[in-house]
Amino acid sequence: CSEHKDSSEKKHKDKEKTKHKDGSSEKHKDKHKDKDKEKRKEEKVGVSLELCFFACFCSPPRIKDEPDDDGFYASPKEDSKPLKRPREDDDADYKPKKIKTEDIKKAKKRKQEEEEVMWEEERYPEGIKWKFLEHKGPVFAPPYEPLPENVKFYYDGKVMKLSTKAEEVATFFAKMLDHEYTTKEIFRKNFFKDWRKEMTSEEKSTITNLSKCDFTHMSQYFKAQSEARKQMSKEEKQKIKEENERLLKEYGYCVMDNHKERIANFKIEPPGLFRGRGNHPKMGMLKRRIMPEDIIINCSKDSKIPAPPPGHKWKEVRHDNKVTWLVSWTENIQGSIKYIMLNPSSRIKGEKDWQKYETARRLKKFVDKIRNQYREDWKSKEMKVRQRAVALYFIDKLALRAGNEKEEGETADTVGCCSLRVEHIKLHPELDGQEYVVEFDFLGKDSIRYYNKVPVEKRVFKNLQLFMENKQPEDDLFDRLNTSILNKHLQDLMEGLTAKVFRTYNASITLQQQLKELTNPDDNIPAKILSYNRANRAVAILCNHQRAPPKTFEKSMMNLQSKIDAKKEQLADARRELKSAKADAKVRRDEKSKKTVESKKKAVQRIEEQLMKLEVQATDREENKQIALGTSKLNYLDPRISVAWCKKWGIPIEKIYNKTQREKFAWAIDMAEEDYEF
DNA sequence: CAAGTCACTTAGAAGCCGAATC
DNA sequence: GATTCGGCTTCTAAGTGACTTG
C-alpha cells in the first residue's frame, strides 16, 4: 500500500512540472512562425492542469484517509483538494495587448476558450491509461442446476429424459417460449442446430424435429419459479439482497491508481440463446458458457493477481496499461471480444466523456468553414469528392451515423450514412409544396427505422440523381466513399474530427439553443422542467432515438387523465367553498371569517398548482410516447449545458439527473457555472 | 487498400424494486 | 397487505474508429 502512496506523490510532482511548464510560456512570444502549433501548445498546457482538476473532482467513491475494510489506502491529503484552475493572468504574457480594451463579455468568452483543451497530451504519457490496477477478477455465471425429476420434456407426445447438457439448452428455449423470437423461422433453425450439437447420439437420433418438442411443462415450471420468487418472505428476500451486496462489495470494485472505482459489468454473461436485434441471421444460436480458461485478466504486475476458481486456470494474465479493461473474453456468436470495464462514474470514463464534449466544442469553431467547404465540394469535378460532400451534409444536417461496412450474413441488414443504398432513398422533385425532397427510409443501428422527408438544396438533389444513375436498388448510393475515406478527410479539416463528432455537436448545440428558446423566466419549476424535456426531446428526435411505446402506455395515460379530472372537480369544489366563504365574510365582517377566506384562497391556489403539475406531466408523457430521452441525455448532451441551465433558473439538479446520472456527470456538476456556453 | 483485430461508445429491452394506490 | 405502476438498473448487442497485417 505504501506503493500507492509513492505513486500518488509522483503524480503530484508531475503536477508541479506542469505548472512550471505553464510558467515558462513566455517563450511562445518569440515564436511566431507557426501560429497553429503555438496555439496548440498553449492549449496543451491548459490540459494538464484541467485534467488534474478533473481527476481531483470526479472520482467517487473517494478513498478515505484511513485504510478501509478492504485494506485500500487513501490518497494523500493534498489530493483531496481540487487544484486551482489556471488563472487568466497566468498566461497573460503572450496575449496581445488588445486585451485591455476588450469588454467583459469577450474576456469571459476567451476564458472559456482557454479552458478548452487539446487531448493528445494526457496526465500520463502517450496512451498510458493507468499506473496501478488491482481487481478480484470476474464473477462467473452460476452453474446449471438440473430440473427436478417431475418436470418433464415431451418429444412427439412422449416423455423424454434429457442429458444434462441437452436439458440445459432446452431450458433456454423453454424460458423464451412466450417470446416472439421462438416463432421465428431463423431463430428456431439456429437454435435447433446448436441444440443438437449438445445432445448425446441417442438424443440426436430421436429428436429430429423441433416442432415435435414440447417445452410447455418446463416453461410452466419456470413461471412458477419466478412466481415463487415474488412470493418469498421478507427475510428470504433480504438474504438474497445481502448476498448480492456482498458480491458487489467483493467483486464490484477495483483500484485504479489512487482510487477505488466501481466496475460496470463484473458478472460474466451467462449462457443462453443469442437474441439479436431486428432480422438477425444468428438469432437463436447458443451462447456458450464462459469458463476461466476463456478469460484474459489485465492488471498491474505489482498488484494482487486475482485467483481463478479452484481447479481452473486463466487463459492469460497480462499487464497492459495502454487499455482500460480488466477482463476480456471472446464470444462465440460473432467471435468478437467482450470486456469488463469501469463504471461511467470512474475517472477514466469521465475524462474520456469530457474529452468528447471538448472535441465537439472545438467543432463549433470550425463548423462554418466546414459547411462552406462541403457546399463548394458539391460542385467538384471529382465524383469521390462530391459523394463525400453530400454524405457529410447528411451527417451534419440529419445527424446520421457514419455507416461502416458490415459483413453480409453476419449481422442484421442495417445501414448508416456511408453505407446507404439506392433503395433507401426516394427523390421527389416536388412534394407537398416543397421542392427537392429526399425521402429516407432505412433501418439504422439496432434496426430502428429512420424515416424522414427532407427538403434539400438543389445541388444536393442533382448530385443524388447523378449518384443513382444506372444503379440497382441494392447498389451503394455512395459507391466511391466509405467511413475511412470520410474520416481521413475530416481529420484534415480539424484534428480529432470524425463523423460521430457531428452527432455530439449538433445534439449539444440543439439542446443549448432550444433551452434558450423554450425557457420562460416566469414559469414555475415544473413548467421549466417541461421546457427542458422538450429541448431534450428535440435532440432525441434529431438523433432518432425511438422506443417501442410502452405496453401500458394507453392505460397509464388514462389513469393520469382520470387523476386530472378528479383534480379539476376538487378545484371546482374548492372554488365554490371560497366563494361562499367570501360571501360569508362580507356579511359577518369578523376576523374569523376573514381567516377562513384566506385559507380557502390558499387551498384553491394549491390545487391549481397540483392540477397544472398533472397537466404538464400528461403533456410530457404524451409527447414522449415513442421517443427515448435517455440515450441523448447520457451520450450526446454536454452535461455542463444542463448544469448551467439548472443553476441559472434555480432548478435542483436532481430534477434533471437521477442519482446514477449525477454520479456519471459529477465532473460537470462541479465544473460548470451558470454562464457556461457550449 | 482490403480485411481483420481490438478497444471503446452508444443503444433499446428486460428485469427489478420501491412507492403509490387500492 | 396486495397489487400496480413507473423509474431506475442491468444487460448485452450493435455501433464507431484506430490500428495492424498481408
Side-chain angles (χ1 to χ4, degrees):
Chain A
C1 285
S2 64
E3 274 167 13
H4 293 215
K5 283 199 173 172
D6 275 1
S7 74
S8 100
E9 262 164 38
K10 239 183 252 162
K11 198 175 90 195
H12 281 280
K13 272 180 198 155
D14 288 347
K15 281 182 196 169
E16 282 305 316
K17 262 190 215 160
T18 335
K19 270 189 198 164
H20 286 307
K21 245 203 245 165
D22 195 31
S24 65
S25 55
E26 307 128 82
K27 277 185 211 158
H28 292 298
K29 253 198 310 196
D30 312 325
K31 294 187 200 165
H32 280 290
K33 286 177 202 163
D34 191 341
K35 275 195 174 176
D36 269 6
K37 243 188 192 169
E38 190 180 318
K39 204 175 169 208
R40 224 175 296 149
K41 266 189 193 164
E42 289 167 24
E43 283 175 2
K44 270 191 198 177
V45 171
V47 178
S48 323
L49 280 169
E50 280 288 325
L51 275 173
C52 295
F53 167 78
F54 184 101
C56 290
F57 256 124
C58 97
S59 262
R62 305 199 65 82
I63 297 177
K64 295 178 208 105
D65 284 339
E66 300 291 340
D68 65 17
D69 320 333
D70 303 305
F72 294 138
Y73 267 90
S75 31
K77 274 245 167 76
E78 311 91 77
D79 197 31
S80 58
K81 268 196 179 170
L83 247 181
K84 269 197 184 146
R85 295 204 220 180
R87 304 252 321 264
E88 242 167 295
D89 47 5
D90 283 351
D91 45 21
D93 294 352
Y94 56 82
K95 291 287 168 216
K97 289 262 155 67
K98 265 194 287 182
I99 196 163
K100 283 179 194 165
T101 61
E102 282 180 359
D103 62 34
I104 293 170
K105 247 190 185 170
K106 270 193 182 164
K108 254 191 181 172
K109 202 179 158 203
R110 155 172 256 124
K111 189 180 166 215
Q112 234 182 38
E113 283 166 7
E114 276 158 18
E115 281 167 15
E116 278 162 37
V117 228
M118 299 295 286
W119 294 96
E120 58 274 59
E121 187 176 274
E122 307 246 12
R123 199 148 62 96
Y124 299 117
E126 266 303 290
I128 304 294
K129 304 289 169 55
W130 45 263
K131 287 178 184 153
F132 181 81
L133 175 61
E134 180 169 280
H135 59 92
K136 299 272 176 104
V139 171
F140 288 91
Y144 177 65
E145 279 182 37
L147 293 170
E149 285 300 321
N150 62 344
V151 181
K152 309 290 192 200
F153 165 75
Y154 299 89
Y155 185 74
D156 208 6
K158 287 177 234 104
V159 175
M160 186 174 170
K161 172 74 187 159
L162 295 171
S163 65
T164 310
K165 271 175 102 183
E167 184 191 277
E168 179 178 7
V169 179
T171 63
F172 298 153
F173 194 85
K175 281 178 184 170
M176 291 178 73
L177 220 51
D178 285 341
H179 204 287
E180 203 201 331
Y181 272 123
T182 57
T183 64
K184 291 188 180 170
E185 198 52 47
I186 306 170
F187 189 95
R188 296 174 69 88
K189 196 182 121 246
N190 287 332
F191 162 73
F192 196 55
K193 190 173 161 213
D194 280 4
W195 186 29
R196 282 176 60 83
K197 287 182 203 157
E198 302 298 311
M199 292 177 187
T200 63
S201 44
E202 296 99 279
E203 284 166 341
K204 229 185 260 180
S205 60
T206 315
I207 303 173
T208 53
N209 185 349
L210 181 57
S211 307
K212 290 183 179 170
C213 295
D214 181 357
F215 301 94
T216 47
H217 192 205
M218 287 163 82
S219 170
Q220 279 162 16
Y221 168 73
F222 290 121
K223 273 186 212 153
Q225 287 273 296
S226 79
E227 204 49 45
R229 223 171 302 130
K230 275 183 215 152
Q231 298 302 321
M232 275 188 307
S233 70
K234 256 187 193 159
E235 292 74 37
E236 287 172 300
K237 278 186 184 166
Q238 185 61 25
K239 218 175 162 189
I240 292 173
K241 207 176 160 191
E242 273 164 21
E243 171 61 16
N244 283 335
E245 276 163 13
R246 194 190 61 78
L247 218 60
L248 174 68
K249 203 175 163 222
E250 165 114 23
Y251 295 97
Y253 295 87
C254 73
V255 179
M256 185 173 275
D257 295 334
N258 296 296
H259 293 286
K260 183 175 168 183
E261 305 265 32
R262 179 86 185 265
I263 299 168
N265 54 328
F266 59 92
K267 288 178 186 157
I268 301 255
E269 295 170 20
L273 304 182
F274 177 75
R275 302 153 87 114
R277 308 268 171 87
N279 199 191
H280 197 118
K282 296 192 172 182
M283 63 168 87
M285 280 173 65
L286 175 63
K287 231 175 76 166
R288 63 169 231 286
R289 181 177 290 272
I290 303 303
M291 303 302 284
E293 285 69 19
D294 301 311
I295 294 290
I296 302 173
I297 297 284
N298 191 33
C299 62
S300 294
K301 260 189 188 134
D302 58 346
S303 75
K304 192 164 170 268
I305 289 156
H312 288 281
K313 285 187 295 201
W314 301 126
K315 179 181 182 185
E316 185 191 333
V317 175
R318 67 171 77 155
H319 311 290
D320 182 358
N321 67 357
K322 290 193 168 63
V323 295
T324 67
W325 53 268
L326 321 184
V327 171
S328 75
W329 71 91
T330 302
E331 152 264 7
N332 69 307
I333 304 289
Q334 315 278 2
S336 66
I337 309 168
K338 300 255 182 168
Y339 303 93
I340 292 183
M341 292 185 192
L342 297 191
N343 201 57
S345 64
S346 61
R347 184 217 97 214
I348 207 149
K349 293 288 184 191
E351 265 178 25
K352 200 73 191 298
D353 206 33
W354 183 34
Q355 189 180 130
K356 175 181 77 187
Y357 292 114
E358 288 306 314
T359 307
R361 286 176 85 198
R362 255 186 318 123
L363 174 55
K364 191 181 175 183
K365 295 187 206 158
F366 288 85
V367 78
D368 289 338
K369 209 177 114 205
I370 292 172
R371 284 172 178 162
N372 289 334
Q373 160 97 256
Y374 66 60
R375 284 199 156 75
E376 279 303 306
D377 287 347
W378 292 340
K379 296 180 269 182
S380 170
K381 277 184 280 197
E382 250 187 291
M383 190 58 150
K384 185 179 149 186
V385 174
R386 286 199 188 199
Q387 293 195 353
R388 199 179 64 194
V390 172
L392 186 51
Y393 170 72
F394 286 161
I395 285 172
D396 182 23
K397 185 183 170 80
L398 305 173
L400 300 190
R401 295 188 185 80
N404 284 318
E405 298 104 299
K406 340 204 292 181
E407 221 176 314
E408 215 172 316
E410 295 290 300
T411 58
D413 177 23
T414 63
V415 297
C417 185
C418 294
S419 50
L420 278 170
R421 298 191 296 263
V422 171
E423 59 193 317
H424 295 132
I425 64 167
K426 265 192 209 140
L427 301 181
H428 305 280
E430 216 201 300
L431 186 74
D432 305 329
Q434 287 174 312
E435 277 191 312
Y436 308 121
V437 175
V438 183
E439 182 179 351
F440 290 84
D441 192 353
F442 61 90
L443 297 182
K445 182 177 180 180
D446 292 312
S447 296
I448 298 288
R449 185 178 181 207
Y450 183 93
Y451 184 79
N452 201 359
K453 290 179 201 160
V454 199
V456 300
E457 294 183 38
K458 185 176 174 184
R459 272 224 168 79
V460 172
F461 197 85
K462 294 285 169 200
N463 269 317
L464 287 170
Q465 285 178 325
L466 184 66
F467 302 160
M468 289 164 82
E469 255 171 37
N470 302 319
K471 279 190 193 168
Q472 299 299 310
E474 62 277 13
D475 289 341
D476 284 340
L477 176 63
F478 302 115
D479 53 304
R480 309 280 172 91
L481 185 69
N482 62 35
T483 53
S484 165
I485 295 170
L486 178 65
N487 281 332
K488 231 166 246 143
H489 172 64
L490 292 176
Q491 192 62 236
D492 292 339
L493 297 179
M494 181 190 112
E495 215 178 336
L497 185 62
T498 62
K500 80 196 269 281
V501 178
F502 281 88
R503 250 167 100 82
T504 313
Y505 165 74
N506 280 309
S508 287
I509 205 81
T510 302
L511 178 77
Q512 184 168 75
Q513 173 255 326
Q514 286 287 302
L515 282 177
K516 271 188 193 150
E517 214 165 278
L518 298 176
T519 313
N520 178 359
D522 303 327
D523 276 349
N524 60 12
I525 291 186
K528 284 207 181 87
I529 292 171
L530 176 65
S531 302
Y532 180 91
N533 286 339
R534 282 186 163 150
N536 192 165
R537 198 140 46 230
V539 176
I541 290 168
L542 175 71
C543 294
N544 201 230
H545 291 140
Q546 297 189 30
R547 62 169 187 175
K551 288 188 187 85
T552 53
F553 186 84
E554 290 304 325
K555 208 171 146 200
S556 89
M557 222 44 214
M558 270 166 45
N559 279 344
L560 197 55
Q561 193 53 51
S562 57
K563 263 194 205 169
I564 289 174
D565 292 344
K567 198 48 85 181
K568 275 182 180 161
E569 254 172 57
Q570 200 188 339
L571 182 63
D573 286 347
R575 281 196 175 132
R576 266 197 299 277
E577 279 181 40
L578 174 62
K579 214 176 175 183
S580 70
K582 267 184 182 165
D584 197 38
K586 229 179 188 175
V587 180
R588 292 212 209 171
R589 296 182 172 278
D590 63 350
E591 273 306 306
K592 200 183 160 196
S593 56
K594 252 191 200 166
K595 264 191 186 157
T596 322
V597 170
E598 279 310 305
S599 75
K600 295 283 178 205
K601 239 186 207 168
K602 283 223 175 97
V604 167
Q605 261 175 14
R606 206 179 53 234
I607 295 166
E608 272 174 345
E609 249 169 52
Q610 287 168 344
L611 177 65
M612 154 126 180
K613 219 171 159 181
L614 283 174
E615 278 174 335
V616 161
Q617 204 185 344
T619 319
D620 213 19
R621 197 178 294 176
E622 185 64 49
E623 290 176 357
N624 242 6
K625 189 175 177 182
Q626 312 196 48
I627 300 163
L629 299 187
T631 302
S632 49
K633 205 174 192 177
L634 235 45
N635 300 303
Y636 288 104
L637 302 176
D638 183 342
R640 290 167 295 184
I641 299 169
S642 303
V643 172
W645 181 83
C646 282
K647 285 192 175 162
K648 182 167 182 189
W649 301 108
I651 313 283
I653 194 80
E654 295 79 19
K655 301 271 184 192
I656 300 298
Y657 291 137
N658 69 32
K659 188 168 144 277
T660 317
Q661 292 163 343
R662 291 199 298 279
E663 275 166 20
K664 168 165 177 171
F665 297 133
W667 59 272
I669 293 170
D670 275 322
M671 210 183 259
E673 299 300 335
E674 172 179 316
D675 60 347
Y676 175 79
E677 278 274 330
F678 175 77

